[in-house]
Amino acid sequence: YADTATTGTPINVTAVPAVLTNDGTGVNTNTSYLPIGGNGITQLWDTSSNGFEFSELEVGDMVDIRMHISVIIASTNTVVDVNLHMGAGGSVVVPFISDQNYKATGTFEVIRYMGVYIGSEDVRDNLAQLKISADNNCTCTVHGWYIKAIRRG
């Protein structure tokens, strides 16, 4: 799922976590191949709510997510965090980037790959969102994500 919206209008990043949006309209978006040959899965990303949709998975399945973003740092020594908030109210937090200190200003490309376990009905049945925050104001553009579902057994 490739994004185009944040290229023209980057996401403002503050100490309050902001949702990483992805409109899925980028030229590299490819939904021709369902995550695992169909197998009951029609989508894993919801562009209208900007979240991962795990409801077609089973408890015990896994999802691999590759996040590709750029952070535009305006102040030296800016610390950035990106977390995946899952479960009701984001009660389960999986860190993608923890306390990454950017010592210089500029644009920094970030790619992270994480395996996520669908360990409960709460995680499966509630939208999951990537959220970014920083101790100094900065901005972020989303290039996109790759998502792979892995059925248990």
Side-chain angles (χ1 to χ4, degrees), residues 1-13 19-23 67-73 80 82 97 106-111 130 132 138-145:
Y1 295 89
D3 181 66
T4 58
T6 62
T7 302
T9 308
I11 298 166
N12 290 317
V13 181
V19 173
L20 290 178
T21 59
N22 184 335
D23 62 12
M67 174 193 72
H68 183 188
I69 63 173
S70 288
V71 289
I72 301 94
I73 303 298
V80 175
V82 176
I97 301 173
T107 300
F108 300 89
E109 191 170 3
V110 180
I111 298 173
L130 284 166
I132 186 169
C138 57
T139 57
C140 173
T141 58
V142 173
H143 302 287
W145 6 97

Side-chain angles (χ1 to χ4, degrees), residues 97-153:
I97 301 173
S98 295
D99 295 329
Q100 175 67 53
N101 187 1
Y102 293 94
K103 296 184 181 280
T105 60
T107 300
F108 300 89
E109 191 170 3
V110 180
I111 298 173
R112 293 291 189 276
Y113 190 82
M114 179 74 65
V116 177
Y117 175 64
I118 309 302
S120 68
E121 290 178 3
D122 180 44
V123 167
R124 181 193 64 199
D125 295 339
N126 289 282
L127 193 71
Q129 292 183 311
L130 284 166
K131 296 184 179 183
I132 186 169
S133 60
D135 65 343
N136 292 315
N137 292 350
C138 57
T139 57
C140 173
T141 58
V142 173
H143 302 287
W145 6 97
Y146 159 79
I147 311 163
K148 177 174 99 177
I150 304 159
R151 291 284 197 192
R152 66 182 163 161

